[in-house]
Amino acid sequence: MISVLVVEDEEITAEANRRYVERVPGFRVEGVARSGGEALRFVRRRPVDLILLDLYLPDMHGLEVCRALRAAGVLSDVIAVTSARDLSVVRSAVSVGVAQYLLKPFTFASLSEKLTRYARFRSSVEGSGEVGGQSEVDRALAALRGPGHSPLPKGMTSVTLDAVLAELRKAPQGVSAQAAGTAIGISRVTARRYLEHLTDSGVARRVPRYGGVGRPELLYRIV
C-alpha cells in the first residue's frame, strides 16, 4: 500500500480528498494535516510515501513546506493540489520536487488518474539496481507524467465543469440543476448535463428531495 498524507486547511475539501484517495486501490491515507506546520510534524513522526499538498495554507505556502521537507531529509513525494494557475508557481513547484500538479476543483477521475500514474512510476523504479539504459528511464518518467485525462464529452468545457463542481462542493446537502445553473450563469439543461457527467464519473450522486406536491426534486450531492 502507498501511504498518503492529505494536507488541506478547508475541512470539507480535506475530507473529500481523503475519501477520494481511499477509493483508489493500493493507496491508504495515514492522516490529514490542516496546516504546513502540522504536516511537517506528522511526517517527522510518521513518514509517508506521498503527500497530497494544498499550496495555500494558513501558516505557510506549500512550496515552503516542500523546501522544509527536503532540508529535513524527508523523501516523500508530493502532488500539489491547488487553484494556483500562475506558471511561475508551477515552475517553482517543479524546482522543489513536486512530482505532479493537480488544479482545483477536480473530479475523482482526475485525481485517480494522477495516483494511478504515480503508482506505476513507483513500481517502475522499485529496487536499488541500475537501469538498463535511456529507454528504461524514459518509460519510468512517462509513467509518471503521461498524457492528460480523457477529453470531455463533445460540447463540454473544463471551465464550466470546474464551475459546476465548485457549486457542488459549496452545497454538501445537494444542489439542483436549476440552482447550479443560476449560480454560474448557464441554463438548467446545461447544468444538468454537467451534473449527470459528474454523476457518471463517480464524483456526484443523485438525491431526491421530497416535501412538495408531485414528483420529488432531484438534487446532486458530492460523493
Side-chain angles (χ1 to χ4, degrees):
M1 296 289 284
I2 295 173
S3 57
V4 182
L5 173 65
V6 174
V7 185
E8 167 63 58
D9 64 308
E10 294 183 5
E11 183 177 358
I12 293 176
T13 304
E15 176 61 16
N17 290 351
R18 183 193 65 78
R19 292 168 62 186
Y20 276 0
V21 171
E22 294 196 330
R23 286 174 59 188
V24 181
F27 288 82
R28 178 183 66 246
V29 174
E30 295 290 347
V32 176
R34 303 291 295 279
S35 69
E38 185 180 349
L40 292 172
R41 290 189 295 272
F42 186 98
V43 296
R44 285 167 184 155
R45 297 191 314 268
R46 190 173 177 180
V48 295
D49 299 315
L50 179 66
I51 300 174
L52 202 62
L53 177 66
D54 182 25
L55 293 189
Y56 293 121
L57 298 168
D59 57 342
M60 65 176 74
H61 196 279
L63 297 182
E64 293 180 52
V65 175
C66 291
R67 294 187 186 99
L69 289 170
R70 300 310 176 228
V74 176
L75 299 180
S76 303
D77 293 315
V78 176
I79 295 179
V81 180
T82 178
S83 57
R85 287 170 164 77
D86 190 330
L87 285 176
S88 65
V89 176
V90 177
R91 287 194 296 270
S92 296
V94 172
S95 72
V96 295
V98 170
Q100 293 188 333
Y101 200 94
L102 184 60
L103 287 175
K104 290 180 177 181
F106 54 86
T107 63
F108 168 71
S110 296
L111 177 58
S112 177
E113 182 185 20
K114 295 288 187 187
L115 294 178
T116 300
R117 288 193 176 280
Y118 173 74
R120 289 174 185 165
F121 168 74
R122 281 183 60 91
S123 178
S124 69
V125 297
E126 282 182 345
S128 56
E130 294 185 354
V131 296
Q134 183 64 48
S135 61
E136 193 171 336
V137 175
D138 291 342
R139 282 195 299 272
L141 293 177
L144 179 62
R145 305 297 179 182
H149 54 74
S150 302
L152 291 171
K154 186 176 180 180
M156 289 189 180
T157 69
S158 59
V159 172
T160 304
L161 182 66
D162 287 349
V164 173
L165 183 54
E167 290 305 311
L168 271 175
R169 289 192 182 281
K170 291 178 187 175
Q173 300 306 313
V175 64
S176 67
Q178 181 66 55
T182 299
I184 63 179
I186 59 177
S187 70
R188 178 186 63 81
V189 173
T190 299
R192 182 172 182 178
R193 185 173 178 228
Y194 279 90
L195 288 165
E196 286 292 327
H197 172 71
L198 290 169
T199 300
D200 293 341
S201 300
V203 176
R205 63 187 178 94
R206 303 177 190 90
V207 182
R209 181 168 67 183
Y210 300 91
V213 178
R215 297 175 60 184
E217 181 181 20
L218 184 62
L219 301 182
Y220 297 83
R221 182 182 298 171
I222 201 82
V223 172

